[in-house]
Structure formats: C-alpha cells, structure tokens
Amino acid sequence: MTDSSTPRRDIDRVASGLAACLPALHRALDRQVAAQYPHPKPPEGRLALLRFVAQREGATVREAAEALLMKPNNVSALVSQLTEQGDLERRQDSADKRVAHLHLTATARERIAEVRELETALIRHALTSLTEGQQGALGSALGALEALTRHLHPTAR
C-alpha cells in the first residue's frame, strides 16, 4: 500500500534502484562465496532447496516446490540428486506412505551453516567500508525489505 504523500517518481526511483541493486548484490555475494568456499558450490536450485529444508526440516516436496516457486517434478528431481549425493534424506510419512519428509544430512547441515557464516562475514566486511549513516540506513531498511519480500513472495519466511 502506497502512502498518498509519496510522489510516484520517488516510488519509481526506489523500485528501479532495488530492481537493479538486489540482483547485483546477490551475484557479487554468490561469486565471493564460490571463490572462498572450500567445497564445490551447488547450483542455485540445489542450494535453494537445501536452505529451505534447513529452515523447514521435515518439509515435503510439495511444500518445497510451493515455497521455492518451482514445479514439484523439478524439486523431486533435485531431491533425488541431493539424496544420491548424501545431502538429503527422504523419510516416509507414518500416516501416508506416498509422502516423504525431507531432512538434511549432518554434512549438508554443516555446509549450509558454513555458507551462511561466510556470507555474513563477507557482508560484515563490506558494511565496515560504509559510513555510520549508511550502516544505520541499511539496518533501518531491513524490516521494510523483509515486508517487501513477503509481499512479492507470500510463502517467504
């Protein structure tokens, strides 16, 4: 919902800036992680699925597909690949044998934590190059960015 006192051009400027900045920020962070991470970095789809399961241990393929905005058959294929690699486990539902719940293996859990720590360290280092005012503005914007994410992707947590 837009505040009627906010000029349209300001909204357009912010929207355009975010649309340009956020993917560039993601790519820069992704490349730095790939360069510094001591293990082969999984492709984005696999990594997204692993991160989802880390947050929602025991989720089903259908739940993962909905949250990741992917087709269930594509998620199922990723689950098969990650299971073969030893990163995911499928555990059959006790009530409905057709349903499997997804769980990270200990190794995958450790690697996801390592990636998150590396991302945090890289961003922390970059933040130190900003002024206190810029750091404060980014901190203040976190809530708004999370709300924007929820609006664009309602299943996002």
Side-chain angles (χ1 to χ4, degrees):
M1 193 152 97
T2 305
D3 180 346
S4 60
S5 67
T6 305
R8 173 136 180 111
R9 70 174 178 267
D10 288 347
I11 295 289
D12 289 346
R13 181 185 61 78
V14 170
S16 177
L18 286 171
C21 179
L22 294 177
L25 176 65
H26 176 74
R27 280 192 308 277
L29 183 61
D30 188 56
R31 284 189 176 83
Q32 287 188 29
V33 167
Q36 295 183 33
Y37 189 61
H39 307 285
K41 185 180 168 294
E44 188 60 35
R46 289 184 191 180
L47 188 56
L49 178 57
L50 290 170
R51 285 180 170 163
F52 173 76
V53 174
Q55 291 176 344
R56 298 268 319 274
E57 195 76 27
T60 64
V61 168
R62 178 178 298 283
E63 291 167 343
E66 288 173 5
L68 298 173
L69 304 177
M70 296 174 69
K71 294 179 181 178
N73 60 323
N74 291 343
V75 173
S76 185
L78 289 175
V79 167
S80 294
Q81 294 166 5
L82 290 166
T83 300
E84 287 175 21
Q85 284 178 222
D87 290 326
L88 273 183
E89 295 176 358
R90 285 186 183 121
R91 297 182 192 161
Q92 206 170 44
D93 187 280
S94 59
D96 185 348
K97 303 297 184 201
R98 297 170 297 171
V99 176
H101 297 277
L102 306 176
H103 298 270
L104 293 179
T105 62
T107 300
R109 189 177 326 285
E110 289 172 13
R111 289 188 177 176
I112 291 295
E114 288 173 8
V115 168
R116 181 61 65 200
E117 289 171 15
L118 181 55
E119 289 171 336
T120 299
L122 289 165
I123 292 171
R124 182 185 312 112
H125 179 72
L127 284 169
T128 63
S129 69
L130 302 179
T131 66
E132 279 187 37
Q134 290 169 325
Q135 291 172 12
L138 286 171
S140 296
L142 281 177
L145 288 170
E146 290 166 351
L148 181 62
T149 300
R150 283 189 304 274
H151 181 74
L152 291 172
H153 187 351
T155 60
R157 293 184 145 226

